């Protein structure tokens, strides 16, 4: 006898991105906010933990903000009217844990969220912190602590890359060797 908590999948749908349920399927839980792994002038890479195998669709939503501190109103999300972007993933969900949302407006703040769906329902995920598309140059003081316990301060514009060997590449300012494999870099405003 059919129970209301079981999903019914028509036989012609099995094998086309939809799996036959072997157990009771519940509506999906709301996913956490995806992590932002990188941004360019017009795209952002998002990552997340692998989802439950019952999820058959992921929608990544990108909502533009007027400024970094703007209040988020997902009700205004409407890609058809040019207010936001959407990426839909409906194949290989159980093996995908990252995606690039491209075609974003340059020099704009965006927030992102995931909306997941299965045979029993849809769940809207948490919202990320705002991310900026475009080059943001900020002058920051970088504190470098070497193995000698000495403290070095320098100012830089650009990025700081730390390798495992302890050398530091400070773009646009040459390179600085910390001379310690256990060097740590902290950014101070």
């Amino acid at each position: 006898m059919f129970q209301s908590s079981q999903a019914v999948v028509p036989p012609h749908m099995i094998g086309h991105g939809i799996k036959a349920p072997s157990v009771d399927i519940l509506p999906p839980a709301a996913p956490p906010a995806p992590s932002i792994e990188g941004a360019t002038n017009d795209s952002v890479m998002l990552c997340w933990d692998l989802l439950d195998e019952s999820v058959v669709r992921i929608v990544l939503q990108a909502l533009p903000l007027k400024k970094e501190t703007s209040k988020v109103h997902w009700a205004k999300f409407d890609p058809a009217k040019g207010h936001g972007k959407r990426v839909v993933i409906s194949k290989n969900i159980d093996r995908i844990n990252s995606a690039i949302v491209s075609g974003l407006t340059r020099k704009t703040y965006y927030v992102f969220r995931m909306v997941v769906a299965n045979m029993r329902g849809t769940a809207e995920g948490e919202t990320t912190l705002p991310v900026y598309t475009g080059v943001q140059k900020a002058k920051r003081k970088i504190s470098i602590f070497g193995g000698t316990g000495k403290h070095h301060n320098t100012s830089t514009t650009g990025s700081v890359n730390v390798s495992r060997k302890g050398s530091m590449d400070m773009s646009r300012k040459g390179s600085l060797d910390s001379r310690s494999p256990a060097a740590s870099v902290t950014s101070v405003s």
Side-chain angles (χ1 to χ4, degrees):
M1 183 86 192
F2 175 73
Q3 296 177 0
S4 63
S5 64
Q6 292 178 328
V8 176
V9 179
H12 69 280
M13 297 292 290
I14 297 172
H16 297 281
I18 297 176
K19 299 174 186 172
S22 58
V23 295
D24 289 348
I25 296 177
L26 300 173
S35 64
I36 297 169
E37 297 297 319
T40 66
N41 288 333
D42 66 349
S43 63
V44 172
M45 182 173 186
L46 303 172
C47 294
W48 56 90
D49 290 333
L50 289 175
L51 299 171
D52 182 280
E53 65 183 32
S54 72
V55 173
V56 296
R57 184 173 181 208
I58 299 172
V59 179
L60 299 170
Q61 297 178 332
L63 181 68
L65 301 176
K66 292 187 181 202
K67 56 186 180 177
E68 185 177 17
T69 57
S70 295
K71 190 171 182 179
V72 176
H73 296 283
W74 282 107
K76 293 182 180 181
F77 178 78
D78 189 354
K81 292 184 179 178
H83 196 70
K85 293 283 182 180
R86 170 176 59 201
V87 173
V88 178
I89 303 168
S90 59
K91 291 186 179 183
N92 300 320
I93 302 284
D94 57 340
R95 293 184 296 220
I96 296 175
N97 68 344
S98 65
I100 295 174
V101 180
S102 60
L104 302 175
T105 303
R106 186 179 179 172
K107 296 184 177 181
T108 303
Y109 285 97
Y110 281 90
V111 290
F112 297 86
R113 74 174 176 181
M114 294 173 56
V115 178
V116 296
N118 68 10
M119 300 299 213
R120 301 288 296 157
T122 301
E124 297 174 346
E126 296 177 19
T127 301
T128 65
L129 293 174
V131 64
Y132 188 73
T133 54
V135 179
Q136 222 178 4
K137 293 182 181 178
K139 193 161 185 150
R140 294 182 175 194
K141 187 182 285 185
I142 305 296
S143 297
I144 303 164
F145 299 93
T148 62
K150 292 183 179 178
H151 186 121
H152 307 280
N153 284 328
T154 185
S155 294
T156 182
T157 302
S159 62
V160 176
N161 298 315
V162 179
S163 71
R164 288 184 176 174
K165 293 180 181 175
S167 64
M168 301 175 77
D169 173 28
M170 300 178 73
S171 63
R172 296 198 179 108
K173 292 288 184 181
S175 62
L176 176 67
D177 184 1
S178 68
R179 303 199 190 279
S180 169
S184 65
V185 178
T186 56
S187 178
V188 181
S189 298

